[in-house]
Each structure stands twice: as C-alpha cells, then as structure tokens.
Amino acid sequence: MTLSPPRYALAEHRLRPRQDRVWTIFSVNVRLRGLRIFPLLLVGFGFVATFVPLFLTELFSTYGLSSGPSLASFYSAYNNLMLFIFTLLMSAVVGSGIIADDLRTKSISLYLSRPITVLDYLVGKAGVVGALLALLAILPGVLTAVLVGVLGYVSATVAAEAIGIFLGTGTLLVLVFTGFAVLLSSLTDRKSFAGAGIFAVLLSLEIVASVLYAATNQVSALYLAPWEDVLSVARWGFGVSTPGASLDPSVALSIVIALPVVLYGATYVRLRRLEVMTE
C-alpha cells in the first residue's frame, strides 16, 4: 500500500462562446452609459436634426420644388453640419469613459482576470459607442429611404441603392469615430481628459485640414480630416459631382478603411499591455 499526498487542482474554466462574452459586456455598458439622460437627448435631437431635413428634401423634390427626387438627393443627409456636430458630441460623451472609467476604478483588472479576452473586451466596449453613433449616422438615412420608397416618391431600386449606400458609408463613419473614442479613452483614467481629447482631436483635424486647404489651395490637405474623407465616399456613392477640385474617392475610401484598422490595433496593443501589468 502506497501513501501519497492528495492532489488538488482547480477545475478547468471553459470559455463561453465569444458572442455571449461580447454581448454581456455590451449589454451591461449600454445600460450604464447609453440609457442616461444626456446620451438619450443627443440621440433624440441628433436623429431629428438629421432625419427631418433629409425627409423634407425628398418631399420638396417630389412636389417640384427642386430638380426632383433622385439618388443624389439623399446626399443631403451628409451635407448637414448637424450630423457632424452630434456625431462628434456623442463620440466624446459616451466614448470618454468607455475604458477610462474602468482604468480609474481598476475594474479592467476584473474583466481581464476572468475568462474574457482582450478582444472580447474591446469589441464589447466599442460596440456600445458604435451602436449609439449608428442611431445618428445610419438610421435616419435608412429610415428616410424606406419611407420615400414605400410612399412612392422614388422607385424601389433607388430606395434600395440609397439604403445600401447609407449602410456602407454610415458604417465607415461609425467605425472611424468609434476608433478614435476607444483609443483616446484607453490612454487615460480621467474621463474628462478623454472626452476633451476625443472632441479636440476630431475637431482639430477638420479645422487644420480646412485651414491648410485655404492657405495652400491644395485639395489633398482635406485628406487629413476623416469627416471630409467620409463625405467624399458619400458623394461618390450617391453620384454627386462637385464643382472644381475634389478628393479622389478611392483614396478617401482607402483612408477610412485603414484608419479603423490602425485605431483599433493601437487600442488592442494598449489593452494587452494593461493585461500584462495586471498579472
């Protein structure tokens, strides 16, 4: 008979499916950050400020007050300063604390010490900001296209094309602005600093690009502004021509595709370093 000490071992943790892990992070943070008075007011006012002018444009076109409803007329959704302002405010308000609050309270250590990967955490957190931005950047345009198509103001083909362009261009806009929000929020544990940084960086890029363009008369300076790149892609999608020099839509599209890759990649690297530090 052989005597041997008992062997103790922790039970093996089995990861739940990725969609469950991401959904848990997303749903909790939507309740904590999205269902508050200021974000809800931004969504409400921003939706109205985008949807109403676009729908009225289509309505006036139908009754002969302009050149008539067409695919190009839907571009007025993006040729609206209110969309930029409310998208910028939503990115700063909701995105400011999306990671910074977890850094301040050290709760990020709890997230990453559980069977949750850094990618789960990043996707769940970015999804909160992205979902709220989509209510401003995608929903008004898609809803307008559906309504004018159902009411017969435009053909079903034009309405379907407009929906597809709004989904594609709006998604690019959401990915870019969300990328800036999560990256800058991950760089500090001060929510106020993160919010100011998001607002300042996105607005400064627009101002600097406009000033350089005015000073040098080089249209390529506008590539520095993500908003201008998105507008260029939208003009190309809706078939809107602009007088004089304009951005090359293929270059602008490359920029708005590459930007999220860089922004989310940098955020992922930052979160991986935090994970190492918490071990």
Side-chain angles (χ1 to χ4, degrees):
M1 181 175 181
T2 304
L3 295 177
S4 59
R7 296 180 179 178
Y8 299 98
L10 293 174
E12 180 181 357
H13 290 287
R14 297 185 61 185
L15 285 176
R16 295 180 63 83
R18 166 152 288 162
Q19 60 269 24
D20 291 348
R21 306 195 304 265
V22 172
W23 174 254
T24 299
I25 299 172
F26 172 81
S27 59
V28 169
N29 281 271
V30 164
R31 292 194 298 270
L32 291 175
R33 305 180 188 283
L35 300 181
R36 292 188 173 184
I37 184 64
F38 198 23
L40 290 177
L41 286 175
L42 285 177
V43 169
F45 286 120
F47 180 86
V48 171
T50 306
F51 171 75
V52 172
L54 177 59
F55 186 76
L56 291 178
T57 297
E58 298 303 318
L59 184 64
F60 291 162
S61 298
T62 301
Y63 290 101
L65 298 181
S66 65
S67 59
S70 64
L71 184 62
S73 63
F74 285 98
Y75 174 70
S76 62
Y78 291 97
N79 194 25
N80 183 352
L81 184 60
M82 289 294 101
L83 176 59
F84 174 71
I85 291 175
F86 279 100
T87 303
L88 178 60
L89 289 174
M90 182 66 75
S91 301
V93 170
V94 178
S96 60
I98 199 69
I99 296 177
D101 281 346
D102 290 345
L103 295 176
R104 179 179 56 82
T105 61
K106 310 299 182 184
S107 58
I108 191 169
S109 300
L110 297 177
Y111 273 112
L112 301 181
S113 64
R114 296 175 180 181
I116 294 175
T117 67
V118 172
L119 185 59
D120 299 334
Y121 177 84
L122 177 57
V123 173
K125 290 287 189 171
V128 176
V129 183
L132 293 172
L133 287 178
L135 297 177
L136 303 176
I138 300 177
L139 183 60
V142 170
L143 182 59
T144 300
V146 170
L147 286 177
V148 298
V150 170
L151 295 174
Y153 294 167
V154 298
S155 66
T157 301
V158 172
E161 290 179 354
I163 291 172
I165 296 168
F166 277 123
L167 288 173
T169 309
T171 299
L172 291 173
L173 175 60
V174 168
L175 287 173
V176 170
F177 276 64
T178 302
F180 276 104
V182 293
L183 175 59
L184 294 171
S185 183
S186 71
L187 297 178
T188 178
D189 60 359
R190 300 288 296 273
K191 179 179 178 179
S192 57
F193 289 174
I198 295 167
F199 189 88
V201 168
L202 290 171
L203 184 60
S204 296
L205 287 173
E206 183 70 20
I207 294 174
V208 168
S210 299
V211 170
L212 287 176
Y213 172 61
T216 63
N217 202 31
Q218 294 293 324
V219 71
S220 57
L222 295 177
Y223 287 122
L224 294 173
W227 176 252
E228 296 296 334
D229 295 322
V230 171
L231 290 184
S232 177
V233 174
R235 284 193 293 268
W236 171 71
F238 289 114
V240 176
S241 58
T242 56
S246 60
L247 297 180
D248 185 340
S250 61
V251 176
L253 180 60
S254 300
I255 291 174
V256 293
I257 290 176
L259 259 180
V261 175
V262 174
L263 294 170
Y264 293 113
T267 308
Y268 180 82
V269 171
R270 165 67 173 163
L271 293 176
R272 288 287 296 178
R273 293 184 62 187
L274 290 174
E275 183 188 33
V276 172
M277 292 170 60
T278 57
E279 290 179 349

